[in-house]
Amino acid sequence: MATSTASRLHVVSRIAAGTLGSYAFTWGFIALGIGLLFAAGMPFHDAEALGYILGFIVLLVAFLWAFCAASLVRVWLVLAGGGALMAGAGSLVQKALL
């Protein structure tokens, strides 16, 4: 019975990492990407459109990787941690531009 509970918790955590973690990672990627593209001289709406288009691909790859990776801890660290770092960096870039 304990194995069944542990495997259920693992599956729920994997699903949460796939949905929430990939969303956080993509959000950070888009925020940083738009800021950097705009800082590089691209018009804002073009940078925004490119960021969202690339973000869709990043979301798909991150979601699928969350279910393929061997280590669940690594998935959470990369997706949630990387997303938080990129969102923070994107915020700093945006503050430097304004």
Side-chain angles (χ1 to χ4, degrees):
M1 192 68 160
T3 304
S4 177
T5 304
S7 66
R8 286 183 186 158
L9 181 62
H10 182 79
V11 168
V12 168
S13 184
R14 186 73 68 161
I15 291 170
T19 55
L20 301 174
S22 62
Y23 180 80
F25 188 83
T26 304
W27 182 30
F29 175 82
I30 291 171
L32 181 60
I34 291 172
L36 290 175
L37 288 171
F38 184 68
M42 183 178 278
F44 176 75
H45 292 294
D46 292 343
E48 186 179 32
L50 182 59
Y52 289 143
I53 291 169
L54 292 176
F56 179 74
I57 296 168
V58 168
L59 177 70
L60 178 62
V61 170
F63 180 79
L64 293 175
W65 177 73
F67 291 97
C68 295
S71 172
L72 184 59
V73 173
R74 185 180 322 137
V75 169
W76 274 111
L77 286 174
V78 168
L79 293 181
L85 287 174
M86 285 189 291
S91 178
L92 290 175
V93 168
Q94 292 172 11
K95 284 181 183 180
L97 292 173
L98 298 175

